[in-house]
Structure formats: structure tokens, C-alpha cells
Amino acid sequence: MRRIGFILFTVAVMLTLVKLGLWQLARAQEKEALSHALKHRSEQMYYSLASLPSDPRWYGLTLHGAFEHRYAVLLDNQIYRGRVGYHLLYPLKVNKDWVLVNLGWIAAPIYREQLPVLPEHHGELRVEGIIAPPSRMPTLAAPSATIEWPQRVQVIDLTLLSQQMDLPLKPWVLQIDPDNALALQQTWTPVVMGPHKHYAYAVQWFLMAMVISGLAFWWLKRTRA
């Protein structure tokens, strides 16, 4: 019974490690596909919302519109050179449509209860950037029941923000081009971890599975003798 229990435990551990390795391989392939899309799509620029394809992610887009400064959004916990700050986002009105634009990083004041002084840009403006999906990172903090603007958020939930602003926001964010005159410090990156790291992690999981199988074989052979 001891040997059977050991074998079953070893098999379960090995299957878990192999699954983790396969998951890392799948993540690496996703990152490669994303890098490929970024490389080819970002080189193509669109100049109106009506001309965008059904899947507009990672294409370049140039718009003319006006910001609604009442609904400033501050994406929390953004680090630049060791300093805590926010990403500043404003809704941009383009004819009858609304697009949330990420202007970039702004430093946070020393005290948490204070908010930074936000730049405002009035009149019709030209904004270029890359179309990106909103942040998908999970958060344990529930949305505040009290809506105050500027609003400090942990993730960009466009459905919720659209309801709070009472504006029909597009289901993506326009990440402003660093060369745009309105851009703040740019720290946004579409690929946080490249595919090579996922491949390295996959190799580690597979090696661990091989080591455990070797040790298990050695132990079984030793106990049989």
C-alpha cells in the first residue's frame, strides 16, 4: 500500500508539472501572436472610427476631438523609476462617439489622500495612438459605492466607467503616441513578459517533472531490493 500510494502521489505531481509546462507553452504562443499582431497592425494607421475593422486591437488610430475633463480616471499603482504614480485617462468626444485615451504616467503626491494636479487640454485636439484592450488584471478591492471625480481605479473596467460617466465608451483604450504633444511620460507596454520567459518557465516545469520521475524510479528500485 505504501508503494501504491507513493506511485499515485508521484504521478499526480508529475501530471501537475507537465500541465504547468504546457500552460507556459500556450502562453508563449499567445505572446508570439501578440508580438506579431503588434508589429504588423501598429504600422497601419486609421483616421476615423467608422473605418476601423471589426477587431481594431493594436492598429494605429488618429482622431480629432475634445476631452471631457470632468471624468478623469487615474489608474493606480503605476511605477516609474521607483516612484509611484498613475496613468491618466480622459474620455475623448469624437463627433457622437466617446473614446477613453491613456495620456500616460503622472506622479502621485507624497500623501495617499492627495491627488495630483491634472493637466487639461481644451478645444479640438489631434490624438494619435495604438488601440489596446483594457487592463484585465484581477483586483480584490470592490468598486467604491461613492463616485468621485477624478476617480482612482485599480483596473480599467470600461463597462462600469461607461455607466458611471453616462457615456457610450468604446470597448478599448487609445494609448497615446509618445510623440504626441499631449503625451505624458509613457510607461505602458503591451507585452509585460516576452515569450522567451514563458518558454524558460516551461522548460523548468518539464525538468522538475523529469527529476521527480527519476527520484521516484530510484526510490522504488531501492525499496524493492
Side-chain angles (χ1 to χ4, degrees):
M1 291 297 297
R2 183 185 176 189
R3 290 172 62 87
I4 294 175
F6 178 79
I7 292 172
L8 292 176
F9 174 77
T10 302
V11 170
V13 172
M14 288 180 58
L15 287 176
T16 300
L17 294 174
V18 170
K19 286 182 179 180
L20 288 170
L22 293 174
W23 177 72
Q24 288 291 348
L25 288 178
R27 293 288 291 151
Q29 293 172 356
E30 290 177 5
K31 293 296 179 66
E32 286 184 339
L34 173 58
S35 299
H36 180 78
L38 278 169
K39 179 180 179 181
H40 293 277
R41 290 192 175 193
S42 62
E43 296 174 352
Q44 185 172 346
M45 181 67 70
Y46 289 85
Y47 293 91
S48 72
L49 295 172
S51 64
L52 289 174
S54 57
D55 181 7
R57 292 175 301 169
W58 315 121
Y59 285 111
L61 178 63
T62 297
L63 297 173
H64 290 83
F67 285 124
E68 177 52 84
H69 298 101
R70 289 184 299 164
Y71 299 129
V73 177
L74 293 171
L75 181 59
D76 206 352
N77 299 317
Q78 304 301 312
I79 309 298
Y80 175 65
R81 293 184 177 178
R83 186 170 180 183
V84 178
Y86 306 94
H87 279 179
L88 172 62
L89 299 96
Y90 282 131
L92 179 75
K93 185 177 183 182
V94 184
N95 298 322
K96 295 182 179 180
D97 295 305
W98 290 88
V99 174
L100 195 63
V101 179
N102 187 345
L103 295 179
W105 184 87
I106 187 170
I110 297 176
Y111 300 104
R112 177 68 178 177
E113 62 271 16
Q114 296 179 342
L115 292 175
V117 177
L118 305 181
E120 294 189 0
H121 309 283
H122 298 278
E124 184 169 282
L125 304 163
R126 176 187 172 97
V127 181
E128 307 100 345
I130 298 294
I131 297 173
S135 56
R136 298 291 185 183
M137 296 298 292
T139 178
L140 298 178
S144 175
T146 303
I147 302 173
E148 297 180 352
W149 303 99
Q151 184 175 178
R152 186 161 45 195
V153 301
Q154 302 299 316
V155 296
I156 301 300
D157 186 334
L158 287 171
T159 301
L160 179 61
L161 289 172
S162 183
Q163 294 173 356
Q164 293 172 339
M165 296 177 183
D166 195 24
L167 299 175
L169 295 174
K170 293 295 182 181
W172 39 260
V173 173
L174 184 63
Q175 300 286 341
I176 197 168
D177 190 292
D179 295 328
N180 189 279
L182 310 178
L184 301 173
Q185 179 64 47
Q186 296 299 297
T187 63
W188 172 80
T189 176
V191 182
V192 178
M193 183 187 297
H196 60 284
K197 288 190 176 181
H198 287 288
Y199 283 124
Y201 289 145
V203 170
Q204 291 178 6
W205 290 123
F206 292 142
L207 286 176
M208 288 177 64
M210 292 176 60
V211 169
I212 289 177
S213 64
L215 291 174
F217 178 78
W218 172 83
W219 185 86
L220 290 172
K221 185 177 180 181
R222 180 171 176 270
T223 55
R224 181 181 298 178

